[in-house]
Amino acid sequence: MLGNFSYKNATKLYFGDDSLKYLNEELPKYGKNIQLIYGGGSIKKNGLYDEIIKILKDNGKNIIEDAGVMPNPTVEKLREGVKLAKDNNADLLLAVGGGSCCDYAKAVSVSVNCDEDPWDKYYIRFEEPTCEIVPVGCILTMAGTGSEMNGGAVITNHEQKLKIGHVFGEEVMPKFSILNPKYTFSLPKRQMVAGIYDIFNHICEQYFSGDDDNTSDYIAEALMKSVIHSSLIAIENPEDYEARSNIMWTATWALNTLISRGKTTDWMVHMIGQSVGAYTDATHGMTLSAVSLPYYRFIMPYGLNKFKRFATEVWGICAEGKTDEQIAEEGLQAMENWMKQIGVALKISELGATEDMIDGITEGTLILEGGYKVLSKDEVKQIIKASM
Ligand code: NZQ
Ligand code: ZN
């Protein structure tokens, strides 16, 4: 049965190869001080930085430079960004980059006017913001996380060996996001496929839970088919605008809260993957791909109907003359073949995880209850070992 829910998405999107011009429409809505948040320099190499600076200057804005947001942004960087925004009275946090820049901007936004330490308040105690929130805007350069249209903000604490996401409410979602698929052309192939797997797994996390006749699951199947189809075109020709735009749009829909409405969700691949990330600092999508197959093969017997449906509806497996188990396994085999074809990591040892990390990764994995089987710590450990 479709559960009860409310739905609003607070982010205005501008999509397409001319979408940057809409920054001119958005900027007048905010004060003078713009904190320009970006990463390690890809936007300087591909020219986007210069274009944005020109638009900001033409609109008479003061620019507060906040560079060097690393993949998997750290709590130390977050504290620096909060200080920068406070000292300069930032009126808008403009993130230019992938999920890391956008997540970081959201974490700064809820912390600027808050006297407590953001790590303790939002990532250990999971409290909601009670202070004034500085608005966030996003110019997306990497498709994957869906951060451009959601309230998620994942922060890593290397000292505590924890990588934790807080999903904030609509007031923290970007006020606007600019999505130009051409910006993703300069992504290295490894980042592109990590993003593609991240998209696919976001859909799986919401699909592999519950067994009702739910519209969300039909939407999820369509999104999965679209991302699989486009991924195969994009790995051959990364500058195929149609494929890159479909991937970018699918990423947004995979995690903008729509397909989780009215149903339960799993998220255990992300919980294990994030703990792997806390130990290895590996690329997010790769941490997910490396633990997915052992996890799904482990829970498959508990959600057999859905795995069978996944095999026939998403992968086109022919069911005739086969047991449910055979059909479900053929679906996972098809998924594995596709993962090999696009070239994502299939083992956490490829990402720098070593045997002596297994206990810590197990300990750092948050156990959620929405999937087909609530895992014990021992089962988490078994899955991590099988991912080595
Ligand atoms: O830093 P620069 O130089 O910009 O390089 C980045 C970075 O090294 C590069 N890059 C991005 N766009 C590029 C480009 N290089 C060339 N051309 C371009 N157009 O790609 C690298 C990775 O960027 P990053 O932002 O880290 O990737 P992604 O978008 O995958 O974000 C990952 C972060 O988002 C979190 C992850 O845990 C991780 O911390 N997530 C956020 C979620 C959310 N908000 O809902 C959900 C996800 O499950 C995820 O956990
Ligand atoms: Zn993800």
Side-chain angles (χ1 to χ4, degrees), residues 301-336:
Y302 306 94
L304 191 56
N305 270 339
K306 195 54 127 339
F307 280 92
K308 183 181 158 197
R309 174 172 165 176
F310 176 67
T312 56
E313 300 306 312
V314 178
W315 298 102
I317 302 297
C318 168
E320 228 177 274
K322 295 172 193 160
T323 65
D324 288 357
E325 286 80 2
Q326 279 170 333
I327 299 163
E329 174 47 37
E330 282 186 33
L332 289 180
Q333 190 57 55
M335 173 174 148
E336 183 171 350

PDB file of all heavy atoms in Angstrom, residues 301-336:
ATOM      1  N   PRO A 301      17.583 -13.694  -0.674  1.00  0.00           N
ATOM      2  CA  PRO A 301      16.550 -14.649  -0.251  1.00  0.00           C
ATOM      3  C   PRO A 301      15.422 -14.002   0.574  1.00  0.00           C
ATOM      4  O   PRO A 301      14.304 -14.508   0.591  1.00  0.00           O
ATOM      5  CB  PRO A 301      17.326 -15.642   0.640  1.00  0.00           C
ATOM      6  CG  PRO A 301      18.759 -15.435   0.309  1.00  0.00           C
ATOM      7  CD  PRO A 301      18.913 -14.038  -0.168  1.00  0.00           C
ATOM      8  N   TYR A 302      15.746 -12.887   1.234  1.00  0.00           N
ATOM      9  CA  TYR A 302      14.727 -12.232   2.078  1.00  0.00           C
ATOM     10  C   TYR A 302      13.814 -11.312   1.265  1.00  0.00           C
ATOM     11  O   TYR A 302      12.792 -10.848   1.765  1.00  0.00           O
ATOM     12  CB  TYR A 302      15.407 -11.435   3.203  1.00  0.00           C
ATOM     13  CG  TYR A 302      16.362 -12.271   4.021  1.00  0.00           C
ATOM     14  CD1 TYR A 302      17.724 -12.323   3.713  1.00  0.00           C
ATOM     15  CD2 TYR A 302      15.887 -13.025   5.094  1.00  0.00           C
ATOM     16  CE1 TYR A 302      18.595 -13.105   4.448  1.00  0.00           C
ATOM     17  CE2 TYR A 302      16.756 -13.807   5.841  1.00  0.00           C
ATOM     18  CZ  TYR A 302      18.105 -13.846   5.512  1.00  0.00           C
ATOM     19  OH  TYR A 302      18.965 -14.623   6.243  1.00  0.00           O
ATOM     20  N   GLY A 303      14.214 -11.001   0.057  1.00  0.00           N
ATOM     21  CA  GLY A 303      13.396 -10.101  -0.778  1.00  0.00           C
ATOM     22  C   GLY A 303      13.265 -10.683  -2.175  1.00  0.00           C
ATOM     23  O   GLY A 303      13.336  -9.958  -3.170  1.00  0.00           O
ATOM     24  N   LEU A 304      13.071 -11.990  -2.209  1.00  0.00           N
ATOM     25  CA  LEU A 304      13.149 -12.720  -3.483  1.00  0.00           C
ATOM     26  C   LEU A 304      12.223 -12.160  -4.572  1.00  0.00           C
ATOM     27  O   LEU A 304      12.619 -12.017  -5.729  1.00  0.00           O
ATOM     28  CB  LEU A 304      12.859 -14.203  -3.239  1.00  0.00           C
ATOM     29  CG  LEU A 304      13.161 -15.143  -4.392  1.00  0.00           C
ATOM     30  CD1 LEU A 304      14.613 -15.028  -4.851  1.00  0.00           C
ATOM     31  CD2 LEU A 304      12.848 -16.586  -4.004  1.00  0.00           C
ATOM     32  N   ASN A 305      10.984 -11.811  -4.174  1.00  0.00           N
ATOM     33  CA  ASN A 305      10.026 -11.291  -5.171  1.00  0.00           C
ATOM     34  C   ASN A 305      10.563 -10.075  -5.887  1.00  0.00           C
ATOM     35  O   ASN A 305      10.448  -9.934  -7.099  1.00  0.00           O
ATOM     36  CB  ASN A 305       8.731 -10.858  -4.475  1.00  0.00           C
ATOM     37  CG  ASN A 305       7.762 -11.999  -4.395  1.00  0.00           C
ATOM     38  OD1 ASN A 305       7.871 -12.958  -5.156  1.00  0.00           O
ATOM     39  ND2 ASN A 305       6.833 -11.893  -3.454  1.00  0.00           N
ATOM     40  N   LYS A 306      11.154  -9.170  -5.106  1.00  0.00           N
ATOM     41  CA  LYS A 306      11.635  -7.915  -5.696  1.00  0.00           C
ATOM     42  C   LYS A 306      12.861  -8.161  -6.556  1.00  0.00           C
ATOM     43  O   LYS A 306      13.012  -7.573  -7.636  1.00  0.00           O
ATOM     44  CB  LYS A 306      11.914  -6.898  -4.583  1.00  0.00           C
ATOM     45  CG  LYS A 306      12.081  -5.456  -5.055  1.00  0.00           C
ATOM     46  CD  LYS A 306      10.897  -5.018  -5.873  1.00  0.00           C
ATOM     47  CE  LYS A 306      10.186  -3.754  -5.504  1.00  0.00           C
ATOM     48  NZ  LYS A 306      10.260  -3.167  -4.239  1.00  0.00           N
ATOM     49  N   PHE A 307      13.714  -9.080  -6.116  1.00  0.00           N
ATOM     50  CA  PHE A 307      14.908  -9.385  -6.922  1.00  0.00           C
ATOM     51  C   PHE A 307      14.523 -10.072  -8.235  1.00  0.00           C
ATOM     52  O   PHE A 307      15.183  -9.882  -9.259  1.00  0.00           O
ATOM     53  CB  PHE A 307      15.914 -10.219  -6.116  1.00  0.00           C
ATOM     54  CG  PHE A 307      16.736  -9.367  -5.177  1.00  0.00           C
ATOM     55  CD1 PHE A 307      16.339  -9.159  -3.867  1.00  0.00           C
ATOM     56  CD2 PHE A 307      17.887  -8.734  -5.626  1.00  0.00           C
ATOM     57  CE1 PHE A 307      17.074  -8.352  -3.011  1.00  0.00           C
ATOM     58  CE2 PHE A 307      18.638  -7.931  -4.786  1.00  0.00           C
ATOM     59  CZ  PHE A 307      18.237  -7.737  -3.469  1.00  0.00           C
ATOM     60  N   LYS A 308      13.454 -10.848  -8.184  1.00  0.00           N
ATOM     61  CA  LYS A 308      12.956 -11.489  -9.400  1.00  0.00           C
ATOM     62  C   LYS A 308      12.403 -10.418 -10.354  1.00  0.00           C
ATOM     63  O   LYS A 308      12.686 -10.403 -11.549  1.00  0.00           O
ATOM     64  CB  LYS A 308      11.860 -12.487  -8.997  1.00  0.00           C
ATOM     65  CG  LYS A 308      11.287 -13.278 -10.115  1.00  0.00           C
ATOM     66  CD  LYS A 308      10.193 -14.205  -9.565  1.00  0.00           C
ATOM     67  CE  LYS A 308       9.245 -14.604 -10.675  1.00  0.00           C
ATOM     68  NZ  LYS A 308       7.992 -15.145 -10.148  1.00  0.00           N
ATOM     69  N   ARG A 309      11.634  -9.495  -9.779  1.00  0.00           N
ATOM     70  CA  ARG A 309      11.073  -8.396 -10.575  1.00  0.00           C
ATOM     71  C   ARG A 309      12.196  -7.535 -11.180  1.00  0.00           C
ATOM     72  O   ARG A 309      12.138  -7.134 -12.346  1.00  0.00           O
ATOM     73  CB  ARG A 309      10.164  -7.567  -9.660  1.00  0.00           C
ATOM     74  CG  ARG A 309       9.628  -6.321 -10.318  1.00  0.00           C
ATOM     75  CD  ARG A 309       8.581  -5.644  -9.443  1.00  0.00           C
ATOM     76  NE  ARG A 309       8.364  -4.284  -9.942  1.00  0.00           N
ATOM     77  CZ  ARG A 309       7.471  -3.452  -9.457  1.00  0.00           C
ATOM     78  NH1 ARG A 309       6.694  -3.813  -8.449  1.00  0.00           N
ATOM     79  NH2 ARG A 309       7.351  -2.234  -9.964  1.00  0.00           N
ATOM     80  N   PHE A 310      13.224  -7.271 -10.370  1.00  0.00           N
ATOM     81  CA  PHE A 310      14.397  -6.505 -10.833  1.00  0.00           C
ATOM     82  C   PHE A 310      15.016  -7.198 -12.057  1.00  0.00           C
ATOM     83  O   PHE A 310      15.351  -6.560 -13.056  1.00  0.00           O
ATOM     84  CB  PHE A 310      15.390  -6.453  -9.666  1.00  0.00           C
ATOM     85  CG  PHE A 310      16.732  -5.804  -9.925  1.00  0.00           C
ATOM     86  CD1 PHE A 310      16.839  -4.445 -10.184  1.00  0.00           C
ATOM     87  CD2 PHE A 310      17.917  -6.548  -9.840  1.00  0.00           C
ATOM     88  CE1 PHE A 310      18.091  -3.841 -10.375  1.00  0.00           C
ATOM     89  CE2 PHE A 310      19.168  -5.960 -10.023  1.00  0.00           C
ATOM     90  CZ  PHE A 310      19.243  -4.598 -10.292  1.00  0.00           C
ATOM     91  N   ALA A 311      15.132  -8.526 -11.982  1.00  0.00           N
ATOM     92  CA  ALA A 311      15.761  -9.285 -13.069  1.00  0.00           C
ATOM     93  C   ALA A 311      14.940  -9.188 -14.359  1.00  0.00           C
ATOM     94  O   ALA A 311      15.487  -8.919 -15.434  1.00  0.00           O
ATOM     95  CB  ALA A 311      15.923 -10.745 -12.656  1.00  0.00           C
ATOM     96  N   THR A 312      13.640  -9.356 -14.233  1.00  0.00           N
ATOM     97  CA  THR A 312      12.836  -9.385 -15.464  1.00  0.00           C
ATOM     98  C   THR A 312      12.557  -7.976 -15.982  1.00  0.00           C
ATOM     99  O   THR A 312      12.641  -7.733 -17.185  1.00  0.00           O
ATOM    100  CB  THR A 312      11.493 -10.130 -15.241  1.00  0.00           C
ATOM    101  OG1 THR A 312      10.802  -9.504 -14.150  1.00  0.00           O
ATOM    102  CG2 THR A 312      11.706 -11.594 -14.915  1.00  0.00           C
ATOM    103  N   GLU A 313      12.259  -7.021 -15.077  1.00  0.00           N
ATOM    104  CA  GLU A 313      11.845  -5.687 -15.533  1.00  0.00           C
ATOM    105  C   GLU A 313      13.021  -4.797 -15.904  1.00  0.00           C
ATOM    106  O   GLU A 313      12.917  -3.986 -16.808  1.00  0.00           O
ATOM    107  CB  GLU A 313      10.995  -4.982 -14.447  1.00  0.00           C
ATOM    108  CG  GLU A 313       9.718  -5.720 -14.082  1.00  0.00           C
ATOM    109  CD  GLU A 313       8.846  -6.038 -15.290  1.00  0.00           C
ATOM    110  OE1 GLU A 313       8.609  -5.129 -16.108  1.00  0.00           O
ATOM    111  OE2 GLU A 313       8.423  -7.207 -15.424  1.00  0.00           O
ATOM    112  N   VAL A 314      14.127  -4.896 -15.161  1.00  0.00           N
ATOM    113  CA  VAL A 314      15.257  -3.989 -15.429  1.00  0.00           C
ATOM    114  C   VAL A 314      16.246  -4.618 -16.406  1.00  0.00           C
ATOM    115  O   VAL A 314      16.770  -3.955 -17.291  1.00  0.00           O
ATOM    116  CB  VAL A 314      15.964  -3.585 -14.103  1.00  0.00           C
ATOM    117  CG1 VAL A 314      17.166  -2.685 -14.380  1.00  0.00           C
ATOM    118  CG2 VAL A 314      14.976  -2.899 -13.163  1.00  0.00           C
ATOM    119  N   TRP A 315      16.490  -5.926 -16.251  1.00  0.00           N
ATOM    120  CA  TRP A 315      17.546  -6.561 -17.052  1.00  0.00           C
ATOM    121  C   TRP A 315      17.016  -7.454 -18.162  1.00  0.00           C
ATOM    122  O   TRP A 315      17.805  -8.054 -18.909  1.00  0.00           O
ATOM    123  CB  TRP A 315      18.490  -7.362 -16.135  1.00  0.00           C
ATOM    124  CG  TRP A 315      19.165  -6.461 -15.148  1.00  0.00           C
ATOM    125  CD1 TRP A 315      18.846  -6.300 -13.833  1.00  0.00           C
ATOM    126  CD2 TRP A 315      20.240  -5.542 -15.407  1.00  0.00           C
ATOM    127  NE1 TRP A 315      19.655  -5.338 -13.241  1.00  0.00           N
ATOM    128  CE2 TRP A 315      20.531  -4.863 -14.197  1.00  0.00           C
ATOM    129  CE3 TRP A 315      20.997  -5.217 -16.540  1.00  0.00           C
ATOM    130  CZ2 TRP A 315      21.524  -3.884 -14.082  1.00  0.00           C
ATOM    131  CZ3 TRP A 315      21.989  -4.252 -16.433  1.00  0.00           C
ATOM    132  CH2 TRP A 315      22.245  -3.600 -15.219  1.00  0.00           C
ATOM    133  N   GLY A 316      15.691  -7.559 -18.249  1.00  0.00           N
ATOM    134  CA  GLY A 316      15.096  -8.329 -19.349  1.00  0.00           C
ATOM    135  C   GLY A 316      15.386  -9.821 -19.293  1.00  0.00           C
ATOM    136  O   GLY A 316      15.432 -10.495 -20.329  1.00  0.00           O
ATOM    137  N   ILE A 317      15.582 -10.360 -18.082  1.00  0.00           N
ATOM    138  CA  ILE A 317      15.842 -11.797 -17.938  1.00  0.00           C
ATOM    139  C   ILE A 317      14.558 -12.579 -18.253  1.00  0.00           C
ATOM    140  O   ILE A 317      13.476 -12.226 -17.775  1.00  0.00           O
ATOM    141  CB  ILE A 317      16.322 -12.114 -16.493  1.00  0.00           C
ATOM    142  CG1 ILE A 317      17.583 -11.319 -16.140  1.00  0.00           C
ATOM    143  CG2 ILE A 317      16.487 -13.619 -16.265  1.00  0.00           C
ATOM    144  CD1 ILE A 317      18.802 -11.617 -16.979  1.00  0.00           C
ATOM    145  N   CYS A 318      14.692 -13.622 -19.033  1.00  0.00           N
ATOM    146  CA  CYS A 318      13.539 -14.441 -19.390  1.00  0.00           C
ATOM    147  C   CYS A 318      13.262 -15.422 -18.242  1.00  0.00           C
ATOM    148  O   CYS A 318      14.164 -16.128 -17.781  1.00  0.00           O
ATOM    149  CB  CYS A 318      13.851 -15.189 -20.693  1.00  0.00           C
ATOM    150  SG  CYS A 318      12.665 -16.482 -21.039  1.00  0.00           S
ATOM    151  N   ALA A 319      12.014 -15.438 -17.774  1.00  0.00           N
ATOM    152  CA  ALA A 319      11.685 -16.213 -16.579  1.00  0.00           C
ATOM    153  C   ALA A 319      11.304 -17.670 -16.878  1.00  0.00           C
ATOM    154  O   ALA A 319      11.277 -18.510 -15.972  1.00  0.00           O
ATOM    155  CB  ALA A 319      10.530 -15.525 -15.843  1.00  0.00           C
ATOM    156  N   GLU A 320      11.050 -17.957 -18.123  1.00  0.00           N
ATOM    157  CA  GLU A 320      10.488 -19.262 -18.491  1.00  0.00           C
ATOM    158  C   GLU A 320      11.335 -20.446 -18.023  1.00  0.00           C
ATOM    159  O   GLU A 320      12.552 -20.494 -18.276  1.00  0.00           O
ATOM    160  CB  GLU A 320      10.363 -19.324 -20.012  1.00  0.00           C
ATOM    161  CG  GLU A 320       8.990 -19.823 -20.462  1.00  0.00           C
ATOM    162  CD  GLU A 320       8.919 -19.793 -21.977  1.00  0.00           C
ATOM    163  OE1 GLU A 320       8.574 -18.725 -22.514  1.00  0.00           O
ATOM    164  OE2 GLU A 320       9.239 -20.828 -22.600  1.00  0.00           O
ATOM    165  N   GLY A 321      10.681 -21.379 -17.358  1.00  0.00           N
ATOM    166  CA  GLY A 321      11.327 -22.630 -16.955  1.00  0.00           C
ATOM    167  C   GLY A 321      12.376 -22.480 -15.866  1.00  0.00           C
ATOM    168  O   GLY A 321      13.173 -23.395 -15.643  1.00  0.00           O
ATOM    169  N   LYS A 322      12.397 -21.328 -15.177  1.00  0.00           N
ATOM    170  CA  LYS A 322      13.423 -21.128 -14.136  1.00  0.00           C
ATOM    171  C   LYS A 322      12.770 -20.940 -12.774  1.00  0.00           C
ATOM    172  O   LYS A 322      11.626 -20.469 -12.681  1.00  0.00           O
ATOM    173  CB  LYS A 322      14.253 -19.876 -14.453  1.00  0.00           C
ATOM    174  CG  LYS A 322      15.072 -19.996 -15.726  1.00  0.00           C
ATOM    175  CD  LYS A 322      15.723 -18.671 -16.094  1.00  0.00           C
ATOM    176  CE  LYS A 322      16.261 -18.703 -17.521  1.00  0.00           C
ATOM    177  NZ  LYS A 322      16.471 -17.359 -18.083  1.00  0.00           N
ATOM    178  N   THR A 323      13.491 -21.293 -11.731  1.00  0.00           N
ATOM    179  CA  THR A 323      12.988 -21.028 -10.372  1.00  0.00           C
ATOM    180  C   THR A 323      13.161 -19.536 -10.075  1.00  0.00           C
ATOM    181  O   THR A 323      13.959 -18.847 -10.728  1.00  0.00           O
ATOM    182  CB  THR A 323      13.781 -21.817  -9.318  1.00  0.00           C
ATOM    183  OG1 THR A 323      15.135 -21.328  -9.333  1.00  0.00           O
ATOM    184  CG2 THR A 323      13.771 -23.309  -9.602  1.00  0.00           C
ATOM    185  N   ASP A 324      12.456 -19.073  -9.052  1.00  0.00           N
ATOM    186  CA  ASP A 324      12.570 -17.659  -8.662  1.00  0.00           C
ATOM    187  C   ASP A 324      14.025 -17.316  -8.314  1.00  0.00           C
ATOM    188  O   ASP A 324      14.526 -16.251  -8.661  1.00  0.00           O
ATOM    189  CB  ASP A 324      11.688 -17.366  -7.441  1.00  0.00           C
ATOM    190  CG  ASP A 324      10.202 -17.374  -7.820  1.00  0.00           C
ATOM    191  OD1 ASP A 324       9.898 -17.551  -9.031  1.00  0.00           O
ATOM    192  OD2 ASP A 324       9.365 -17.214  -6.908  1.00  0.00           O
ATOM    193  N   GLU A 325      14.685 -18.247  -7.623  1.00  0.00           N
ATOM    194  CA  GLU A 325      16.084 -18.005  -7.227  1.00  0.00           C
ATOM    195  C   GLU A 325      16.983 -17.847  -8.447  1.00  0.00           C
ATOM    196  O   GLU A 325      17.843 -16.976  -8.483  1.00  0.00           O
ATOM    197  CB  GLU A 325      16.633 -19.155  -6.361  1.00  0.00           C
ATOM    198  CG  GLU A 325      16.113 -19.198  -4.940  1.00  0.00           C
ATOM    199  CD  GLU A 325      14.719 -19.818  -4.830  1.00  0.00           C
ATOM    200  OE1 GLU A 325      14.159 -20.265  -5.875  1.00  0.00           O
ATOM    201  OE2 GLU A 325      14.182 -19.836  -3.711  1.00  0.00           O
ATOM    202  N   GLN A 326      16.747 -18.728  -9.444  1.00  0.00           N
ATOM    203  CA  GLN A 326      17.574 -18.647 -10.666  1.00  0.00           C
ATOM    204  C   GLN A 326      17.359 -17.314 -11.377  1.00  0.00           C
ATOM    205  O   GLN A 326      18.316 -16.663 -11.809  1.00  0.00           O
ATOM    206  CB  GLN A 326      17.210 -19.778 -11.640  1.00  0.00           C
ATOM    207  CG  GLN A 326      17.859 -21.103 -11.315  1.00  0.00           C
ATOM    208  CD  GLN A 326      17.264 -22.237 -12.173  1.00  0.00           C
ATOM    209  OE1 GLN A 326      16.113 -22.183 -12.610  1.00  0.00           O
ATOM    210  NE2 GLN A 326      18.062 -23.260 -12.399  1.00  0.00           N
ATOM    211  N   ILE A 327      16.105 -16.898 -11.472  1.00  0.00           N
ATOM    212  CA  ILE A 327      15.801 -15.632 -12.159  1.00  0.00           C
ATOM    213  C   ILE A 327      16.481 -14.479 -11.413  1.00  0.00           C
ATOM    214  O   ILE A 327      17.151 -13.632 -12.022  1.00  0.00           O
ATOM    215  CB  ILE A 327      14.267 -15.407 -12.212  1.00  0.00           C
ATOM    216  CG1 ILE A 327      13.596 -16.536 -12.991  1.00  0.00           C
ATOM    217  CG2 ILE A 327      13.939 -14.046 -12.829  1.00  0.00           C
ATOM    218  CD1 ILE A 327      12.099 -16.628 -12.765  1.00  0.00           C
ATOM    219  N   ALA A 328      16.324 -14.473 -10.083  1.00  0.00           N
ATOM    220  CA  ALA A 328      16.896 -13.384  -9.278  1.00  0.00           C
ATOM    221  C   ALA A 328      18.417 -13.347  -9.438  1.00  0.00           C
ATOM    222  O   ALA A 328      19.010 -12.277  -9.619  1.00  0.00           O
ATOM    223  CB  ALA A 328      16.511 -13.576  -7.808  1.00  0.00           C
ATOM    224  N   GLU A 329      19.056 -14.509  -9.393  1.00  0.00           N
ATOM    225  CA  GLU A 329      20.520 -14.555  -9.523  1.00  0.00           C
ATOM    226  C   GLU A 329      20.957 -14.097 -10.920  1.00  0.00           C
ATOM    227  O   GLU A 329      21.954 -13.384 -11.071  1.00  0.00           O
ATOM    228  CB  GLU A 329      21.054 -15.957  -9.194  1.00  0.00           C
ATOM    229  CG  GLU A 329      22.555 -16.173  -9.426  1.00  0.00           C
ATOM    230  CD  GLU A 329      23.506 -15.094  -8.874  1.00  0.00           C
ATOM    231  OE1 GLU A 329      23.245 -14.545  -7.783  1.00  0.00           O
ATOM    232  OE2 GLU A 329      24.521 -14.788  -9.557  1.00  0.00           O
ATOM    233  N   GLU A 330      20.183 -14.461 -11.940  1.00  0.00           N
ATOM    234  CA  GLU A 330      20.544 -14.000 -13.300  1.00  0.00           C
ATOM    235  C   GLU A 330      20.461 -12.474 -13.392  1.00  0.00           C
ATOM    236  O   GLU A 330      21.229 -11.845 -14.116  1.00  0.00           O
ATOM    237  CB  GLU A 330      19.652 -14.660 -14.350  1.00  0.00           C
ATOM    238  CG  GLU A 330      20.086 -16.087 -14.649  1.00  0.00           C
ATOM    239  CD  GLU A 330      19.305 -16.718 -15.809  1.00  0.00           C
ATOM    240  OE1 GLU A 330      18.911 -15.988 -16.753  1.00  0.00           O
ATOM    241  OE2 GLU A 330      19.082 -17.940 -15.759  1.00  0.00           O
ATOM    242  N   GLY A 331      19.524 -11.897 -12.663  1.00  0.00           N
ATOM    243  CA  GLY A 331      19.422 -10.419 -12.625  1.00  0.00           C
ATOM    244  C   GLY A 331      20.680  -9.818 -12.024  1.00  0.00           C
ATOM    245  O   GLY A 331      21.263  -8.871 -12.570  1.00  0.00           O
ATOM    246  N   LEU A 332      21.122 -10.384 -10.904  1.00  0.00           N
ATOM    247  CA  LEU A 332      22.338  -9.855 -10.257  1.00  0.00           C
ATOM    248  C   LEU A 332      23.564 -10.095 -11.134  1.00  0.00           C
ATOM    249  O   LEU A 332      24.486  -9.277 -11.177  1.00  0.00           O
ATOM    250  CB  LEU A 332      22.522 -10.467  -8.870  1.00  0.00           C
ATOM    251  CG  LEU A 332      21.513  -9.982  -7.826  1.00  0.00           C
ATOM    252  CD1 LEU A 332      21.763 -10.645  -6.481  1.00  0.00           C
ATOM    253  CD2 LEU A 332      21.543  -8.465  -7.667  1.00  0.00           C
ATOM    254  N   GLN A 333      23.548 -11.225 -11.858  1.00  0.00           N
ATOM    255  CA  GLN A 333      24.659 -11.498 -12.770  1.00  0.00           C
ATOM    256  C   GLN A 333      24.703 -10.460 -13.892  1.00  0.00           C
ATOM    257  O   GLN A 333      25.775  -9.961 -14.258  1.00  0.00           O
ATOM    258  CB  GLN A 333      24.500 -12.921 -13.349  1.00  0.00           C
ATOM    259  CG  GLN A 333      25.709 -13.418 -14.114  1.00  0.00           C
ATOM    260  CD  GLN A 333      26.996 -13.421 -13.275  1.00  0.00           C
ATOM    261  OE1 GLN A 333      27.044 -14.014 -12.214  1.00  0.00           O
ATOM    262  NE2 GLN A 333      28.026 -12.698 -13.756  1.00  0.00           N
ATOM    263  N   ALA A 334      23.528 -10.100 -14.395  1.00  0.00           N
ATOM    264  CA  ALA A 334      23.468  -9.079 -15.458  1.00  0.00           C
ATOM    265  C   ALA A 334      23.970  -7.737 -14.917  1.00  0.00           C
ATOM    266  O   ALA A 334      24.693  -7.005 -15.596  1.00  0.00           O
ATOM    267  CB  ALA A 334      22.039  -8.947 -15.982  1.00  0.00           C
ATOM    268  N   MET A 335      23.600  -7.449 -13.681  1.00  0.00           N
ATOM    269  CA  MET A 335      24.067  -6.197 -13.054  1.00  0.00           C
ATOM    270  C   MET A 335      25.588  -6.228 -12.912  1.00  0.00           C
ATOM    271  O   MET A 335      26.278  -5.244 -13.207  1.00  0.00           O
ATOM    272  CB  MET A 335      23.384  -6.057 -11.691  1.00  0.00           C
ATOM    273  CG  MET A 335      23.881  -4.918 -10.853  1.00  0.00           C
ATOM    274  SD  MET A 335      22.856  -4.789  -9.361  1.00  0.00           S
ATOM    275  CE  MET A 335      24.068  -4.193  -8.210  1.00  0.00           C
ATOM    276  N   GLU A 336      26.116  -7.374 -12.497  1.00  0.00           N
ATOM    277  CA  GLU A 336      27.575  -7.515 -12.351  1.00  0.00           C
ATOM    278  C   GLU A 336      28.279  -7.319 -13.696  1.00  0.00           C
ATOM    279  O   GLU A 336      29.298  -6.620 -13.772  1.00  0.00           O
ATOM    280  CB  GLU A 336      27.908  -8.902 -11.759  1.00  0.00           C
ATOM    281  CG  GLU A 336      29.387  -9.088 -11.512  1.00  0.00           C
ATOM    282  CD  GLU A 336      29.703 -10.375 -10.719  1.00  0.00           C
ATOM    283  OE1 GLU A 336      28.770 -11.022 -10.190  1.00  0.00           O
ATOM    284  OE2 GLU A 336      30.898 -10.711 -10.648  1.00  0.00           O
TER     285      GLU A 336
END
